[in-house]
Amino acid sequence: MFLPTEGLDKMRVVIADANQVVRTWLRTQLSQAGVKHVAMAGTAGDLLRQCSATTPDVVLCDHNFGEKHDGLRTLEELRLNNILPLSSVFIIVTGERLRARVVSAAEFAPDDYLLKPFTSGQLAERLERAVEKKLALKTVFAEMAQRNLPGVILECDRVVERTPRYALDALRIRAEALIALGRLDEASEIYQAIIARNSVPWARIGYAMVLRERGEAREAAELAAQISEEFPDFMGVYDFLGELHERNGELAEARTFYERADSIAPDNLRRLRSLGEICLELGDVGQAAAVMRRVVDRTEGTSLSCTEDHLTLIKSLVGLDNTDAEINQRMKEMRTLLGDSERAAVLSDVIEARRLSRNGDEEGARRAIDQALKTHEQLRTPDTLATTELAEACLQNDRQDAAEQLISTLPDAPGVLPNRLKRQSQSARDRARAAAAQLEAERAEGPDLDHIEAELTRLETLIKRLDVTWDDALATDARNILIDAFTLAPRERSVIDAHIHYNRVAQKHGFDRHKPTARVSSPD
């Protein structure tokens, strides 16, 4: 029987369906089941407003909830924006029987999945079962909402004692909280005990997570591979393997697992975002653009729409031919999200640097980055997105010092620095070390006077242009040539004369002299 403290007649249920006839039918079914308090929403926006105003006990939501807002995306929006707490029941109601749809719905963890048609008795039974479980775990959800992990663990223990029927649910939440707290041995005991009784895939992937956190990546990958063979529809294993390979810098392997999961359940935004970024980093800009179009189109007009998605899409489009019109349109959409701010200006200059660099205008790209750096200094509040994107642009344009300076300003917290930026920064340091080693070898062999002469000839052209009109970007190029020349041949008379000539022009325009400087090896 249903828990007497929360009878069906006291529950507040919201029916979310675009079809008036279906809403009326569902209301009749609820009435026959004993539900008295029913509200109806014909659009996703209406549902979000109702849930924001008064938290319902249950939401019955149609899967095909309009062209853009299907039930799964609505569930995402409700959960991610903390509009509908975990203590409320969300049930997908649909006539859809396609395997991919069912798998997708299960992956987003609605509390139940009702296939139409059904009787009022069947509906009442499913409602009672779902709400009873929510009541049993209510205190656990309350601690989760407060992000109080020790409290979550304590309440899970209480659920195991007083409601053994939901012990597995409580143990699953408890183990995940233990991993988050770094108490890996305790989490391992839970997973191994469950596996010994029932080889459920979530317990086995949980144990693989413990192995990963212990640094046993190979063992974790082997266990996950076994799970994927035995439970090919379990999406968690593909995401785990994708994240594991991505963390190890094995992007091609990560992409394979994300694509495999996407072929089974194509509605997961988090996975699509990871896949799009990986394709972009691998240089497959066509596939990156295709994936990110799906993300941007799916989130359009919802609170799930974000600047990062538009930015990844635009960066992908920059690498393709004949996409200027779409880039301009996507830039307008992104600026709408950002508003008129220095942050928007920084990101616009970063995109412009990418476009110019792709077209071979390295000097123009350098100027765009210089402008972005100046604007970034004027940001009134720290902005992680603007900082990381500008740092990435600096790395791609051989401005490692500027990139490292930007990265040093970011908070030292997990997840702040994107994995791709960590890899690119490390790659830039590796290139710098290789260049330093090559320079040392060249020094041992003696200076390449022909190369130095060619560079000094180019420098003379730059100084003549600076003598007429001073330009910061040209001056930076000139100083870089001076540094390279001095590094290779500090005692050559032509190098000394070049320094003297540059300094005369700089002082003429009111700028500082450039002291002879040699390049040094990049620190680890």
Side-chain angles (χ1 to χ4, degrees), residues 435-507:
Q438 182 179 357
L439 182 59
E440 288 299 323
E442 291 173 352
R443 281 175 175 167
E445 296 175 359
D448 183 349
L449 297 180
D450 289 339
H451 171 71
I452 293 172
E453 183 179 349
E455 286 297 285
L456 292 178
T457 299
R458 187 162 71 91
L459 174 62
E460 184 66 24
T461 301
L462 291 176
I463 294 175
K464 287 180 180 179
R465 292 173 62 184
L466 289 170
D467 194 19
V468 177
T469 304
W470 188 265
D471 180 276
D472 288 341
L474 293 181
T476 299
D477 289 340
R479 289 193 296 272
N480 281 327
I481 294 174
L482 285 171
I483 293 171
D484 290 337
F486 184 81
T487 302
L488 294 171
R491 295 182 178 83
E492 285 293 317
R493 185 66 217 179
S494 57
V495 175
I496 296 171
D497 290 342
H499 271 94
I500 294 172
H501 191 187
Y502 172 86
N503 287 334
R504 285 174 181 166
V505 173
Q507 289 180 306

Side-chain angles (χ1 to χ4, degrees), residues 100-337:
R101 289 296 187 186
V102 174
V103 173
S104 296
E107 185 181 18
F108 281 99
D111 296 289
D112 209 340
Y113 188 87
L114 272 174
L115 289 174
K116 294 182 286 190
F118 46 80
T119 66
S120 59
Q122 291 170 327
L123 176 58
E125 180 183 354
R126 302 287 275 273
L127 285 175
E128 290 174 358
R129 186 192 311 165
V131 176
E132 183 182 70
K133 180 177 176 180
K134 291 289 185 178
L135 285 172
L137 297 169
K138 185 175 182 178
T139 56
V140 175
F141 295 143
E143 297 297 336
M144 290 174 67
Q146 297 297 319
R147 304 184 187 279
N148 179 13
L149 295 180
V152 169
I153 293 170
L154 178 62
E155 291 303 328
C156 284
D157 290 339
R158 289 172 175 167
V159 170
V160 172
E161 288 182 15
R162 67 177 178 244
T163 322
R165 179 177 178 180
Y166 299 106
L168 269 183
D169 300 280
L171 289 172
R172 181 175 187 173
I173 297 171
R174 188 181 196 278
E176 291 172 354
L178 288 168
I179 291 177
L181 289 171
R183 294 160 60 177
L184 302 181
D185 290 344
E186 295 173 72
S188 176
E189 289 178 6
I190 292 175
Y191 289 129
Q192 288 182 313
I194 294 172
I195 293 169
R197 298 195 306 269
N198 182 7
S199 185
V200 290
W202 64 260
R204 292 172 67 185
I205 203 64
Y207 183 63
M209 290 171 61
V210 171
L211 293 174
R212 181 189 65 190
E213 296 305 310
R214 284 175 174 168
E216 301 173 35
R218 182 176 61 81
E219 293 81 354
E222 289 176 355
L223 176 56
Q226 294 174 6
I227 299 170
S228 68
E229 291 180 4
E230 296 177 37
F231 302 94
D233 285 344
F234 180 54
M235 297 294 96
V237 69
Y238 300 117
D239 288 331
F240 175 83
L241 284 166
E243 292 166 6
L244 184 64
H245 285 293
E246 184 179 0
R247 179 184 291 193
N248 294 335
E250 300 161 349
L251 300 187
E253 292 82 354
R255 174 180 177 175
T256 297
F257 286 108
Y258 285 138
E259 288 181 334
R260 187 179 301 173
D262 185 57
S263 68
I264 300 172
D267 293 317
N268 188 300
L269 288 175
R270 182 187 54 78
R271 184 188 306 123
L272 287 174
R273 286 166 174 149
S274 296
L275 180 57
E277 290 179 358
I278 285 176
C279 289
L280 178 60
E281 192 171 347
L282 287 172
D284 189 350
V285 290
Q287 184 61 19
V291 170
M292 293 313 300
R293 284 190 188 106
R294 289 170 58 191
V295 174
V296 170
D297 291 346
R298 179 171 172 77
T299 59
E300 180 184 8
T302 76
S303 59
L304 299 177
S305 180
C306 65
T307 303
E308 289 87 339
D309 294 339
H310 284 78
L311 195 57
T312 305
L313 174 55
I314 292 167
K315 289 191 293 187
S316 305
L317 294 171
V318 167
L320 297 173
D321 295 327
N322 303 318
T323 56
D324 285 347
E326 185 177 358
I327 289 173
N328 292 335
Q329 177 59 36
R330 300 295 185 179
M331 288 288 288
K332 290 179 182 177
E333 295 169 359
M334 187 177 75
R335 289 193 189 99
T336 300
L337 292 172

